Amino acid sequence: MAVAQHGVRCGLRVPLGRLGIVGGGVLAVCTAICAAEAGWDVHMLVREPSRSHQLRYVLDGHITLHSAELPACDAVVDAASGQSDASIRQALKAVRDGGTVLVQNAYAPRVVLSVPLRDVFRRSITLRGSFSYCRADGHDDFRDAIDVIAKGGDWAALMTRDRFPLSELPQGLAALNNEARHRPFKVLLTSDT
């Protein structure tokens, strides 16, 4: 949540408008929550049907979900897994000319952008990265993230529901890789005591 706060606050220093988010994981959801709270009209591209199904019930209609592609957006956040350049290509496709693409994921070391940079810059698109969190401009991203989570809601319940003692780390990881419909959204590890 602190990384999401930082991205929205420091990475999207542009006028509010329609924000697209590519991804359906924890960072994408946290970014959507922070952006909606900041006043953005938020649209998420979530390709995984089971994840989309979970999110439809917890985002309370404040965030529009899409399964194929995003509408034209003023800014787009790439918060996907980073195993290929597919998510940044989707972000570049959805952002309007003159818009901003904020990359919030850590791409795998050998991933390269397969879109000609000339096409990106010809459209006057700003590419910006945001990777962590900080204290700046009188804000503390970590403290503010705790406040957002404390407000809770169905989305927070989904992300904090599945807890495993540290001694059951292998079971928690196995649960994340489970292809079942009710696989955990996020696994939280707790102390063994």
Side-chain angles (χ1 to χ4, degrees):
M1 183 59 79
V3 171
Q5 282 280 8
H6 179 71
V8 170
R9 184 178 292 137
C10 298
L12 294 175
R13 293 186 178 216
V14 295
L16 295 173
R18 180 181 289 158
L19 177 67
I21 298 174
V22 178
V26 174
L27 180 57
V29 171
C30 290
T31 299
I33 297 298
C34 293
E37 189 173 272
W40 287 91
D41 172 22
V42 181
H43 294 255
M44 286 181 71
L45 177 61
V46 182
R47 293 189 186 273
E48 186 181 337
S50 64
R51 185 57 56 96
S52 183
H53 178 75
Q54 286 179 313
L55 294 177
R56 285 199 197 287
Y57 293 104
V58 300
L59 294 178
D60 298 325
H62 301 306
I63 295 158
T64 305
L65 297 179
H66 303 270
S67 61
E69 58 184 60
L70 290 167
C73 297
D74 300 299
V76 179
V77 176
D78 174 3
S81 69
Q83 297 303 309
S84 77
D85 75 333
S87 58
I88 195 167
R89 283 187 287 116
Q90 185 69 46
L92 290 167
K93 180 180 175 186
V95 74
R96 67 168 173 75
D97 289 358
T100 297
V101 171
L102 178 67
V103 178
Q104 270 192 318
N105 71 40
Y107 275 96
R110 291 196 168 93
V111 174
V112 295
L113 183 60
S114 62
V115 174
L117 288 177
R118 177 181 170 91
D119 293 347
V120 174
F121 299 123
R122 168 183 67 76
R123 295 179 52 210
S124 298
I125 294 171
T126 299
L127 283 175
R128 177 173 280 152
S130 179
F131 190 70
S132 190
Y133 51 91
C134 70
R135 291 184 187 141
D137 302 326
H139 295 282
D140 180 333
D141 295 329
F142 196 83
R143 184 196 68 229
D144 294 345
I146 291 170
D147 291 342
V148 171
I149 293 169
K151 286 183 206 173
D154 292 336
W155 63 270
L158 174 66
M159 288 199 288
T160 59
R161 172 187 69 197
D162 297 293
R163 299 167 186 252
F164 289 79
L166 186 55
S167 61
E168 294 181 16
L169 173 62
Q171 292 88 334
L173 293 174
L176 282 173
N177 291 322
N178 186 352
E179 293 299 321
R181 179 178 166 108
H182 296 292
R183 117 181 139 189
F185 192 84
K186 180 173 183 65
V187 166
L188 296 178
L189 298 175
T190 61
S191 66
D192 288 334
T193 57

